[in-house]
Amino acid sequence: MIIDFLQYQVLGMRFLNDLIGMGLSALGISLESRIGGSLQFFLYDVIKILILLSVLIYVISYIQSYFPPERTKRILGRFSGLKAYTLSALLGTVTPFCSCSSIPLFIGFTSAGLPLGVTFSFLISSPLVDLGSLVLLASIFGFPIAFAYVVVGLVLAVLGGALINKVGKEEQIEEYIRNLRANAQTEPSVMLGVQRRAYAASQVRTTVHKVFWYILIGVGIGALIHNWIPASWILSVLGSKNPFSVLIATLVGVPMYADIFGTIPIAEALWLKGVGLGTILSFMMGVTALSLPSLILLRKAVKPPLLALFFTVVTGGIICIGYLFNSIGYLFIH
């Protein structure tokens, strides 16, 4: 089938895994050994992710060149209510790939006078959901799971923003941000095609340089889990028989700092060990949306009550998503 070919050969690059396996075997390294299996997992995932990442960042950045911050502010300012939250969450899919990079834009939107909930919908969505996460997840878990991840990420961003807007207060934004006056909103200069291509290429270089070590660490942890830690150990902590597996995965993910590309290899290894889909999604969302460094940066923009509200709403949403998908995960397994 065409979908299978796209998933396994185009996105999954199974041919690359076979080539690496043949190369290691030619060097006398047994693929059945732990070292050989780990090397194959590591080399295959690093090369595959870097190739897909470079292509995806180029495409996303090219699209993003049509949405500079000033234009984005004006677009969001035209809507209110559920439409505004939804649009803000969708715009988050074509902006930075990690939570720390999203916070400067969040501050800019807040200082421009956009509603509290709209800016938080953007802040939740931006690191969680993008074209890159869809394609990379599809390459490993298949399109149904990838689409499910994107949908629940957007729903969390929309509902989280709406709830924060209802409960939070504008005065809980730090005073220096509330006192900022938005710069004159002149229409940004229109890029030419060659400028857009140059911008996209520069974003590829910048982003790959920034996330390269996180990818290596993430793949290294994934290889360790996949080939060295017994499945029984992992399942005793994160398996379906442990009713606290989702809570544990979420809380373990929060202190970590990585983007979606660094968490996918770990998620892949957990998936192969039999960990539930909901537990894996909770871990990924905890890392990308609630990393400790991003919370520290966000504290510079909002006061403790609003920060606590953001943390509580997003954590609660992630945990609910985890338990939901653990209960219906069988629908995504063929």
Side-chain angles (χ1 to χ4, degrees), residues 130-147:
D130 55 52
L131 178 62
S133 64
L134 173 63
V135 173
L136 282 175
L137 284 167
S139 73
I140 295 173
F141 302 108
F143 284 103
I145 292 177
F147 279 117

Side-chain angles (χ1 to χ4, degrees), residues 65-111:
S65 69
Y66 288 92
F67 297 95
E70 289 301 331
R71 180 171 294 167
T72 303
K73 291 176 190 177
R74 282 196 297 279
I75 293 173
L76 292 177
R78 296 172 188 165
F79 299 89
S80 61
L82 186 61
K83 287 183 180 179
Y85 304 136
T86 303
L87 185 58
S88 181
L90 289 172
L91 284 173
T93 66
V94 291
T95 48
F97 302 98
C98 69
S99 51
C100 288
S101 300
S102 303
I103 289 174
L105 282 176
F106 165 81
I107 293 174
F109 294 156
T110 303
S111 65

Side-chain angles (χ1 to χ4, degrees), residues 119-155:
T119 58
F120 272 102
S121 285
F122 168 84
L123 184 62
I124 296 170
S125 169
S126 181
L128 274 182
V129 184
D130 55 52
L131 178 62
S133 64
L134 173 63
V135 173
L136 282 175
L137 284 167
S139 73
I140 295 173
F141 302 108
F143 284 103
I145 292 177
F147 279 117
Y149 175 85
V150 170
V151 169
V152 297
L154 289 173
V155 170

Side-chain angles (χ1 to χ4, degrees), residues 168-241:
K169 296 181 173 130
E170 292 287 343
E171 57 263 29
Q172 291 170 345
I173 298 288
E174 286 293 350
E175 183 119 7
Y176 78 93
I177 293 178
R178 286 190 285 123
N179 290 338
L180 285 174
R181 293 293 178 265
N183 295 327
Q185 297 187 4
T186 56
E187 183 69 22
S189 58
V190 178
M191 289 186 181
L192 301 175
V194 65
Q195 293 172 313
R196 295 190 192 282
R197 291 190 291 272
Y199 169 76
S202 69
Q203 288 296 100
V204 172
R205 291 190 296 269
T206 301
T207 306
V208 170
H209 181 266
K210 182 171 65 174
V211 305
F212 179 74
W213 289 107
Y214 294 115
I215 291 174
L216 291 188
I217 293 171
V219 175
I221 294 173
L224 179 67
I225 293 172
H226 184 256
N227 293 284
W228 295 85
I229 301 178
S232 59
W233 291 11
I234 294 174
L235 293 178
S236 66
V237 178
L238 298 177
S240 59
K241 292 184 179 179

Side-chain angles (χ1 to χ4, degrees), residues 284-333:
M284 294 175 64
M285 289 183 166
V287 172
T288 53
L290 293 173
S291 68
L292 187 58
S294 70
L295 292 175
I296 293 172
L297 282 177
L298 185 58
R299 170 61 189 91
K300 297 181 182 297
V302 302
K303 295 179 180 178
L306 187 55
L307 181 66
L309 176 62
F310 168 76
F311 182 84
T312 301
V313 168
V314 177
T315 301
I318 289 173
I319 291 171
C320 290
I321 288 170
Y323 282 112
L324 173 64
F325 274 85
N326 271 351
S327 64
I328 65 171
Y330 66 92
L331 297 174
F332 299 89
I333 302 174

